[in-house]
Structures are given as structure tokens and as C-alpha cells.
Amino acid sequence: MTVEIIGTYATAILLLIGSGFVAVGVIGLLKFNDSMTRLHAPTKVGTVGIGALLLASVAHSMVLGELSMHELLIMAFLFVTAPISANFIAKVNIHLRSCETPPSPPLDDTWATLNAPDDGEDTTQGAKSA
């Protein structure tokens, strides 16, 4: 087998993997009911699918003998911005109360602070009553 044939097979496999992940992301986007569950499918699965499609483009350009780095820049931008935008969309949904709100924290004032409990203070009492 020559390098061109192996590169062509690698490109085809990456295209199949990428399109499969993108299809699962689209089905998840269409199937889920509310915006918070819809957010999960395209951000996780879609990012991997687009990454595989871009890797297929890099592999194809290498088979042709032309090295293309634009796809790697697109992947880097995608992998940096997708989690940040998903986080902002989730925060907006929580603040608009358009989704189920997360449970309240226990009545312990030391769970997310630097306050240390006093020696005789029972910090588990708030968690048991909640």
C-alpha cells in the first residue's frame, strides 16, 4: 500500500467518524425537550465531530502534498470557544429560570468559603435537615 492510499483511507474514516458524531449531535438537539438538555448534545458531540471532519481535511491536504494549517487554527478556536459559550447559555437559562434550578446548598456557612468551623460547632446539621 502506498502512502496516498493509506491517507485516503484515513480521510474516509475520519469523515465517517466526524459525520457520525455530528449526526448524533443533531439528533440530540432535535430530540431533547428543554434548552439545558439541548445544550449538552451539540457542545460535546458536535465539537468532537467537527474536530474529526477538520482532521479529515488536514489528512486530505497532506495526501495532496499541500500542508494546510487553517483547519488546526479552526479546531483550536472551536475547542476554546465552545465550552465558554455553552457555559454562558447555561447561566442565562438558570438566571431566567427557564429550566429547573439546581438544589439549594446546605445550611452550612463553610461549604464554599474559607470560614473554618468552630471546634464545638456541628456543620453537618444543616445538610441533614435539608
Side-chain angles (χ1 to χ4, degrees):
M1 286 181 128
T2 64
V3 175
E4 289 84 14
I5 293 173
I6 294 172
T8 304
Y9 284 143
T11 302
I13 289 171
L14 285 169
L15 283 173
L16 287 173
I17 291 171
S19 60
F21 273 105
V22 169
V24 168
V26 168
I27 291 169
L29 183 65
L30 295 175
K31 184 177 178 181
F32 292 139
N33 297 329
D34 62 345
S35 58
M36 290 295 277
T37 55
R38 280 188 195 146
L39 182 65
H40 185 72
T43 56
K44 306 296 185 276
V45 177
T47 305
V48 174
I50 297 297
L53 292 175
L54 290 170
L55 282 176
S57 178
V58 169
H60 181 68
S61 67
M62 290 176 81
V63 167
L64 296 178
E66 303 167 357
L67 186 60
S68 174
M69 299 302 283
H70 298 351
E71 292 88 354
L72 297 177
L73 293 173
I74 293 170
M75 262 195 293
F77 182 75
L78 177 71
F79 289 155
V80 168
T81 58
I84 295 170
S85 61
N87 187 16
F88 282 138
I89 292 170
K91 281 185 176 184
V92 167
N93 284 318
I94 288 173
H95 287 295
L96 290 177
R97 303 207 187 279
S98 62
C99 63
E100 195 175 309
T101 57
S104 299
L107 300 175
D108 181 14
D109 66 343
T110 62
W111 73 274
T113 64
L114 296 177
N115 295 340
D118 294 334
D119 290 332
E121 189 176 329
D122 184 17
T123 60
T124 60
Q125 185 179 16
K128 289 180 182 175
S129 64

